[in-house]
Amino acid sequence: MSQFWSSWFREYPDFGGMENPGYRTGSFDGDDDDDEMVDIAGVTLDFSTTDDAPPLSSGGYEEYSRNSSSSSRAASMNGNGPTKLVDPLEDPVPGVGTYEDFNTIDWVREKSKDRDRHREITNKSRQSTVNLLHSVSDAFSGWLLMLLVGLLSGALAGGIDIAAHWMTAMKEGVCVVHFWYNHEHCCWASNETTFQERHHCPQWQSWAELITGTSEGAFAYIVNFLMYIFWALLFSFLAVALVRAFAPYACGSGIPEIKTILSGFIIRGYLGKWTLMIKIITLVLAVSSGLSLGKEGPLVHVACCCANILCHLFTKYRKNEAKRREVLSAAAAVGVSVAFGAPIGGVLFSLEEVSYYFPLKTLWRSFFAALVAAFTLRSINPFGNSQLVLFYVEFHAPWHLVELAPFILLGIFGGLWGALFIKANIAWCRRRKTTRLGHYPVMEVLVVTALTALIAYPNIYTRMSGAELISELFNDCSRLDSSQLCGYQQPANNTDTGVGNTLPDRPAGPGLYTALWQLALALVFKMMITVITFGMKVPSGLFIPSMAVGAITGRLLGVGMEQLAYYNHDSIIFKGWCSQGADCITPGLYAMVGAAACLGGVTRMTVSLVVIMFELTGGLEYIVPLMAATMTSKWVADAFGREGIYEAHIRLNGYPFLEPKEEFEHSSLAVDVMRPRRSDPALAVLTQEGMTVGEVEALVESTHYSGFPVVVSQQSQRLVGFVLRRDLLISIDNGRKRQEGVVSSSQVVFTEHTPSQAPDAPPPLRLRGIMDLSPFTVTDHTPMDITVDIFRKLGLRQCLVTHNGRLLGIITKKDILKHMAQITNRDPDSILFN
């Protein structure tokens, strides 16, 4: 991976935005060896100016420079006095204060800019009615933006749900009367459907009926089998082809990258228009193909794309990276809200799992946006059942204290499965990155799809979609159920003491035994195939596959407990609360608890997961079982490693993410981590006066650092400030074009007053306005645990190290991550970005 990036940097030395290649839109060739697709961090990049701050070559800056340069020359030719020195502090330059791609923002500077902007608007609001109205609109713009994000995300999620259900049903047949109906809606509209066979109606015909005229027999089964594989391969091929050709960032879950972006990292194009469009289309295709993946994780990415695009309608969010990340935090809550129909759980998910900076104002706006999104999705009613999710259930049977033991067992299983899945999936993804397997993403997707379809079709519980499977497993058997999972025998005395629509515990019948065997096989299949599916170059979520594994396990255990209670209701365990003919055990509840345990083991979610599951079921009485299983799952999984699946993928991709939950326990000091080391060359610095434009440009060209400390002189090394490389380049280029007489021999001045010069000397270039006069510093003996806390809580890019006021070195976020990797015996070169 590091070799790939080294070659990439050699080919594109000005990767920070000097050119604007745009997306690759060339023809697709399935046999090409596409090295750039090995890693999400190594995909074809987009430096389009519509998604983030404009790069150096943006048209706005060029036009500004030409106009300013021509006006400056005209003033000089008209004899309007001596040439005016350009000062970025007095006359701001477009592009200064922006960031290059694959760099971290300066949270402190962005928050300071927003405070200055807000202070200016407040002061002006007292001067006139127009300015007062502008102040009110500025305050209201955040709520308006949240409204738009909620409306757009809810509408897109509803469309994705409808399209995915229709295309999933298309693999098995088509509605001959209304082809745009899926199987369920087609038979709902039929007047010839009986309750016992409500999924069979003349209007819905399988592919065997359309091709051969019959739905019975071995030949019809083979035709349906082949058509199922054909549609699965077609959908998956279209998904990976579109991702590879138009928007490589549309693959995967998106949550690891969203977490990294919310921490301050910039990935241009990841939340852009192309990524949004391709993600929506390919998400429908990937889910419909029958792969072991879900749409819930990618919906968070979709909502964040919507928020990022809508941010460009509002100046204060378009021009401030920190403010934009507040909106993206709210958008993450919206994504979970429309994925699960759980607005409160979505807000807690954003707070607990993805957000890096989450002020109280963002909490309120997240809640509002999640509410609007849930209302929009409810209005669309994509499932036709007046519910926000497909597997909405509502239990009423109480649970008993004895059942806490099997609930905790489910938590232990969820923790073990989560730890095992993370290790296996990361090992497989690392193998994909380091071998030729990763060079052929299209072939990998097709092979996995064909394998999934071949194994899944014969088993009814693997053939159905993940959401339908979970809905089936969460369901509690009632009088009108015809599912195999409700294939119980009628007791010999046949005394029906059930209340309402519920039934008492009964002995298992042949139908239930068949279903249990099929579920056991489905469990093994889901556990294995999900490991190699998550991380492929198609949109893929992990929520539904993880919940499916847990729901299957929980249902198996629930049926076992039910039969144990039926045959041993007089034993000491069940005596007193489970009498004969009573409905003692609810297998659907065990499925729900198992789903929460497995999802918690994989993601390490706790509070938000319990609330999401509570909102799915609507049962307050089941909070304690969910909490017990979720906490047990987290404790067991943490015993094998504290990283969740998203943190593991962040580390695998080398993103500069300081995990807030990770503790730094090493006793090292700042001097042990800072650069330069003893064997390294001296630290590259600028002096506040005395250096020429040519010398500064030579220093910048000979190094790759993102910024330079400014000192009083090379001898004293007394710290004055810090200037970013990008701001320095833009300001020098602007000075050459706008200020008459600036040449390579002109002095670069960072002082408040211009020093005296010889009469024939060229005019100096004043750059004090772009310098950070209060860079964060620590002493050389500052413990690293304190330094790491400073970086986490202030969101720093770099911190300067001093000794008695003299500059010694610099610590960047990348240096800290490398040091932490060395402490934990990981490869420090795996950290690819700063």
Side-chain angles (χ1 to χ4, degrees):
M1 184 63 203
S2 58
Q3 295 175 354
F4 164 70
W5 273 104
S6 300
S7 62
W8 195 90
F9 283 132
R10 288 196 295 271
E11 184 177 357
Y12 300 99
D14 297 326
F15 90 106
M18 295 295 185
E19 297 178 359
N20 188 1
Y23 283 102
R24 178 163 57 92
T25 56
S27 60
F28 169 76
D29 183 2
D31 296 328
D32 285 348
D33 186 347
D34 57 332
D35 288 336
E36 70 275 18
M37 294 293 293
V38 174
D39 186 348
I40 184 65
V43 296
T44 306
L45 303 175
D46 173 36
F47 301 97
S48 126
T49 61
T50 60
D51 299 322
D52 284 287
L56 272 64
S57 59
S58 63
Y61 171 68
E62 294 293 340
E63 182 179 357
Y64 173 86
S65 299
R66 286 196 300 269
N67 294 339
S68 301
S69 180
S70 60
S71 61
S72 175
R73 285 193 296 269
S76 179
M77 291 171 63
N78 291 335
N80 291 336
T83 302
K84 181 180 181 297
L85 298 183
V86 174
D87 189 346
L89 191 61
E90 300 173 357
D91 190 9
V93 180
V96 170
T98 60
Y99 303 94
E100 295 180 342
D101 201 9
F102 295 114
N103 268 269
T104 304
I105 69 170
D106 189 332
W107 284 91
V108 177
R109 181 169 73 170
E110 295 299 308
K111 297 302 291 183
S112 177
K113 281 166 52 179
D114 184 63
R115 281 194 298 269
D116 294 341
R117 182 197 62 81
H118 187 266
R119 191 179 299 114
E120 181 183 0
I121 291 176
T122 304
N123 292 336
K124 287 183 176 180
S125 66
R126 304 187 182 99
Q127 300 173 4
S128 67
T129 305
V130 174
N131 288 331
L132 178 61
L133 292 175
H134 175 65
S135 175
V136 172
S137 66
D138 181 77
F140 180 70
S141 62
W143 295 100
L144 178 59
L145 178 56
M146 292 297 100
L147 176 67
L148 296 176
V149 171
L151 290 172
L152 182 57
S153 301
L156 290 177
I160 289 172
D161 287 332
I162 293 171
H165 287 152
W166 176 65
M167 295 181 67
T168 300
M170 187 187 294
K171 291 186 300 182
E172 299 184 2
V174 66
C175 187
V176 294
V177 179
H178 304 290
F179 73 91
W180 58 89
Y181 280 3
N182 62 27
H183 191 175
E184 193 173 15
H185 289 169
C186 184
C187 289
W188 276 357
S190 173
N191 295 324
E192 306 173 39
T193 306
T194 62
F195 183 81
Q196 287 75 16
E197 297 185 351
R198 54 186 177 275
H199 296 302
H200 296 84
C201 59
Q203 288 79 8
W204 179 267
Q205 294 190 6
S206 66
W207 292 109
E209 290 179 275
L210 289 172
I211 296 172
T212 66
T214 179
S215 60
E216 305 294 335
F219 184 67
Y221 181 86
I222 293 173
V223 170
N224 285 330
F225 195 0
L226 293 177
M227 290 301 296
Y228 181 91
I229 295 174
F230 166 76
W231 286 112
L233 289 173
L234 177 63
F235 292 157
S236 62
F237 174 77
L238 290 175
V240 70
L242 289 172
V243 166
R244 184 176 184 267
F246 296 106
Y249 283 151
C251 68
S253 166
I255 292 181
E257 286 73 24
I258 296 297
K259 287 190 68 168
T260 309
I261 289 172
L262 289 178
S263 73
F265 196 56
I266 290 178
I267 308 178
R268 282 207 179 89
Y270 196 83
L271 301 176
K273 297 184 297 294
W274 271 105
T275 303
L276 174 62
M277 290 191 304
I278 299 301
K279 186 91 174 187
I280 292 171
I281 297 170
T282 54
L283 177 58
V284 173
L285 291 167
V287 171
S288 304
S289 68
L291 288 168
S292 182
L293 47 82
K295 61 181 182 297
E296 284 66 26
L299 279 176
V300 175
H301 188 186
V302 168
C304 288
C305 287
C306 295
N308 184 67
I309 293 169
L310 291 171
C311 276
H312 289 84
L313 301 176
F314 302 88
T315 304
K316 75 174 182 180
Y317 295 106
R318 181 176 68 249
K319 294 185 176 181
N320 193 293
E321 294 289 347
K323 295 293 290 181
R324 191 186 305 186
R325 275 152 181 77
E326 293 180 18
V327 177
L328 295 179
S329 293
V334 170
V336 175
S337 174
V338 296
F340 290 103
I344 301 175
V347 175
L348 293 176
F349 171 81
S350 178
L351 174 62
E352 179 184 3
E353 188 63 24
V354 297
S355 291
Y356 200 85
Y357 174 66
F358 203 84
L360 188 60
K361 181 170 58 177
T362 304
L363 177 69
W364 299 333
R365 291 180 175 173
S366 300
F367 183 79
F368 174 69
L371 171 67
V372 173
F375 174 78
T376 305
L377 187 64
R378 171 65 180 79
S379 302
I380 296 174
N381 194 17
F383 306 112
N385 59 359
S386 299
Q387 302 294 348
L388 291 175
V389 289
L390 180 62
F391 42 91
Y392 185 92
V393 294
E394 189 171 350
F395 300 121
H396 297 289
W399 64 277
H400 302 275
L401 191 62
V402 174
E403 293 180 278
L404 271 181
F407 292 153
I408 291 174
L409 279 178
L410 287 174
I412 294 173
F413 172 81
L416 292 173
W417 151 248
L420 176 63
F421 174 81
I422 292 171
K423 292 184 181 297
N425 180 253
I426 292 300
W428 180 262
C429 290
R430 185 174 287 111
R431 180 178 179 83
R432 181 187 291 126
K433 292 160 71 75
T434 56
T435 64
R436 292 190 62 83
L437 173 65
H439 298 178
Y440 304 99
V442 179
M443 186 61 63
E444 180 190 12
V445 169
L446 292 178
V447 169
V448 173
T449 304
L451 183 65
T452 303
L454 282 169
I455 300 175
Y457 186 82
N459 189 336
I460 185 63
Y461 296 110
T462 52
R463 188 192 315 170
M464 64 176 62
S465 67
E468 290 174 336
L469 174 61
I470 293 173
S471 177
E472 181 86 2
L473 295 169
F474 279 13
N475 182 42
D476 189 24
C477 292
S478 63
R479 299 177 188 278
L480 303 178
D481 265 314
S482 58
S483 168
Q484 263 194 323
L485 286 172
C486 300
Y488 293 92
Q489 294 178 359
Q490 289 298 330
N493 52 13
N494 199 19
T495 56
D496 191 353
T497 60
V499 179
N501 196 35
T502 63
L503 290 172
D505 291 343
R506 296 162 293 166
L512 180 58
Y513 283 121
T514 302
L516 294 180
W517 275 110
Q518 291 177 326
L519 281 178
L521 294 174
L523 176 63
V524 176
F525 171 70
K526 286 281 185 183
M527 292 174 67
M528 296 177 65
I529 203 68
T530 306
V531 169
I532 62 176
T533 302
F534 186 70
M536 293 195 306
K537 299 304 176 185
V538 293
S540 55
L542 194 58
F543 282 25
I544 288 296
S546 299
M547 290 176 66
V549 168
I552 294 173
T553 307
R555 188 77 185 203
L556 293 173
L557 181 60
V559 173
M561 284 293 296
E562 183 185 43
Q563 297 303 302
L564 188 66
Y566 177 79
Y567 288 108
N568 301 277
H569 58 269
D570 292 329
S571 66
I572 190 172
I573 299 177
F574 301 103
K575 191 174 183 179
W577 63 273
C578 184
S579 59
Q580 187 174 8
D583 183 18
C584 304
I585 304 294
T586 307
L589 171 60
Y590 285 75
M592 185 180 72
V593 173
C598 282
L599 184 55
V602 172
T603 63
R604 310 301 162 84
M605 294 160 53
T606 53
V607 179
S608 57
L609 177 58
V610 171
V611 175
I612 287 172
M613 297 303 296
F614 154 68
E615 289 186 271
L616 287 180
T617 60
L620 273 170
E621 59 268 30
Y622 301 123
I623 286 183
V624 172
L626 288 171
M627 292 175 66
T630 303
M631 281 309 305
T632 304
S633 172
K634 178 175 172 54
W635 287 334
V636 172
D638 283 349
F640 295 92
R642 292 187 175 273
E643 282 185 334
I645 186 65
Y646 301 128
E647 292 79 17
H649 274 269
I650 287 172
R651 181 164 56 83
L652 181 68
N653 289 331
Y655 295 138
F657 182 77
L658 274 175
E659 174 58 53
K661 305 169 190 173
E662 187 177 355
E663 297 181 3
F664 188 89
E665 299 176 347
H666 202 264
S667 59
S668 52
L669 303 176
V671 69
D672 303 322
V673 181
M674 74 173 192
R675 290 180 297 159
R677 305 292 172 82
R678 293 179 181 176
S679 58
D680 294 342
L683 186 66
V685 297
L686 302 173
T687 57
Q688 65 177 357
E689 58 183 54
M691 294 184 71
T692 65
V693 171
E695 291 172 343
V696 171
E697 289 178 328
L699 177 64
V700 172
E701 291 176 2
S702 63
T703 60
H704 60 275
Y705 306 128
S706 60
F708 301 92
V710 180
V711 295
V712 174
S713 66
Q714 294 285 358
Q715 291 73 30
S716 71
Q717 290 289 309
R718 296 288 177 180
L719 183 63
V720 176
F722 190 84
V723 62
L724 293 176
R725 176 195 189 96
R726 180 183 177 85
D727 293 352
L728 193 61
L729 288 172
I730 292 176
S731 300
I732 291 176
D733 185 52
N734 173 71
R736 286 183 181 275
K737 293 178 179 179
R738 293 183 55 205
Q739 182 177 324
E740 193 71 24
V742 172
V743 292
S744 296
S745 57
S746 298
Q747 276 202 32
V748 176
V749 179
F750 292 98
T751 55
E752 190 170 357
H753 303 287
T754 306
S756 58
Q757 296 188 102
D760 57 341
L765 181 61
R766 295 183 60 189
L767 298 182
R768 185 178 178 83
I770 67 170
M771 182 173 62
D772 180 6
L773 294 172
S774 55
F776 280 88
T777 61
V778 296
T779 66
D780 50 342
H781 291 290
T782 303
M784 273 307 298
D785 56 344
I786 297 178
T787 307
V788 170
D789 276 343
I790 292 174
F791 269 82
R792 281 176 178 157
K793 294 175 181 177
L794 295 179
L796 300 185
R797 305 176 68 189
Q798 68 278 319
C799 183
L800 301 175
V801 183
T802 61
H803 178 74
N804 294 334
R806 288 172 53 89
L807 179 67
L808 288 184
I810 185 172
I811 298 176
T812 65
K813 184 188 283 190
K814 186 175 181 179
D815 295 328
I816 290 179
L817 290 167
K818 284 191 170 185
H819 182 66
M820 295 173 73
Q822 286 178 328
I823 292 174
T824 54
N825 297 320
R826 300 197 310 262
D827 181 15
D829 292 331
S830 63
I831 311 299
L832 301 177
F833 309 105
N834 189 25

